[in-house]
Amino acid sequence: MPRLTKIVTRQGDNGTTGLSGGQRVSKDSLRVSAYGLVDELSSQIGLAIAFGIDEELAQMLQEIQNDLFNLGSDLSFLEEDKEKFSIPQIEERHVARLDSIVDRLAKDTGPLKNFILPGGSVGSAQLHVARTVCRRTERGVISLSQQDKIGSFVIPYLNRLSDCLFVMARFENKQKNISEIYWDSRL
């Protein structure tokens, strides 16, 4: 477990930051942007939990937040540095766990009858916000992957997570006995 001894270092005052392997890069680099988006996504999930969502979902989401710290760690190292350091990374088991959650919750929510509008309960609406941030994060990570190598399970994990957040939003509304709001294409 890393120890943070100092929060303010002043080393980033010139617009650069240090990757976990020690390299200095611009704060607007694709890599820094990608793990920054992961951090934003975790914060949006934390807000959903703070809104008092279903306890089962909250537990699942806290595990996902831990995964997202692993994902941020995965992205904060260049691939060649991962051999030098023992770091947490996103693995196939993390993707499989998301698939399992989606399958389990989808049994409770039932099939989609139409496109649904984000909303309903506050928790469900926030899970939809997290879902859209997840899609933006995925796009940012894909941009990085076209420039640099990244972990092989990072993109599949983010792709599954957005699906998982969608099903969780539906599940939250069901738990709160709030009907889904269907898209009306005639309006």
Side-chain angles (χ1 to χ4, degrees):
M1 173 83 63
R3 264 182 87 188
L4 300 177
T5 56
K6 233 178 165 184
I7 300 299
V8 178
T9 64
R10 295 179 176 76
Q11 292 183 14
D13 290 352
N14 66 354
T16 65
T17 190
L19 297 180
S20 295
Q23 302 86 352
R24 298 295 298 175
V25 297
S26 175
K27 287 185 178 185
D28 69 350
S29 75
L30 288 177
R31 184 168 299 278
V32 174
S33 177
Y35 65 72
L37 287 166
V38 171
D39 187 32
E40 180 184 353
L41 173 57
S42 182
S43 296
Q44 292 289 350
I45 289 171
L47 186 56
I49 295 168
F51 280 137
I53 61 171
D54 178 81
E55 187 58 38
E56 181 182 9
L57 289 182
Q59 181 61 41
M60 291 175 188
L61 287 167
Q62 286 177 338
E63 291 174 12
I64 288 168
Q65 283 183 299
N66 276 288
D67 291 350
L68 290 173
F69 263 77
N70 290 350
L71 200 152
S73 170
D74 200 325
L75 290 172
S76 73
F77 280 91
L78 300 176
E79 287 302 297
E80 56 268 20
D81 287 343
K82 290 179 185 177
E83 296 172 13
K84 300 175 198 169
F85 302 95
S86 175
I87 62 158
Q89 297 179 56
I90 292 297
E91 301 171 1
E92 187 174 15
R93 67 185 171 90
H94 296 106
V95 177
R97 189 173 74 229
L98 292 177
D99 285 336
S100 175
I101 291 170
V102 168
D103 290 345
R104 189 226 154 303
L105 295 179
K107 286 179 187 172
D108 285 347
T109 58
L112 274 174
K113 298 175 184 164
N114 193 357
F115 288 107
I116 60 171
L117 301 179
S121 69
V122 172
S124 176
Q126 181 57 37
L127 287 166
H128 279 292
V129 170
R131 173 186 56 80
T132 62
V133 171
C134 186
R135 285 292 185 201
R136 180 163 31 99
T137 302
E138 182 182 14
R139 291 189 300 272
V141 169
I142 289 169
S143 293
L144 171 62
S145 75
Q146 292 169 351
Q147 172 186 300
D148 256 339
K149 288 177 113 181
I150 62 169
S152 57
F153 295 104
V154 170
I155 293 171
Y157 182 86
L158 290 168
N159 185 49
R160 292 307 193 298
L161 180 55
S162 63
D163 295 339
C164 188
L165 291 166
F166 176 79
V167 174
M168 287 177 159
R170 292 187 69 213
F171 183 84
E172 175 65 8
N173 274 340
K174 185 170 185 201
Q175 294 304 101
K176 298 283 193 288
N177 293 314
I178 296 176
S179 298
E180 293 180 326
I181 307 162
Y182 294 113
W183 171 49
D184 185 347
S185 61
R186 297 166 293 173
L187 293 179

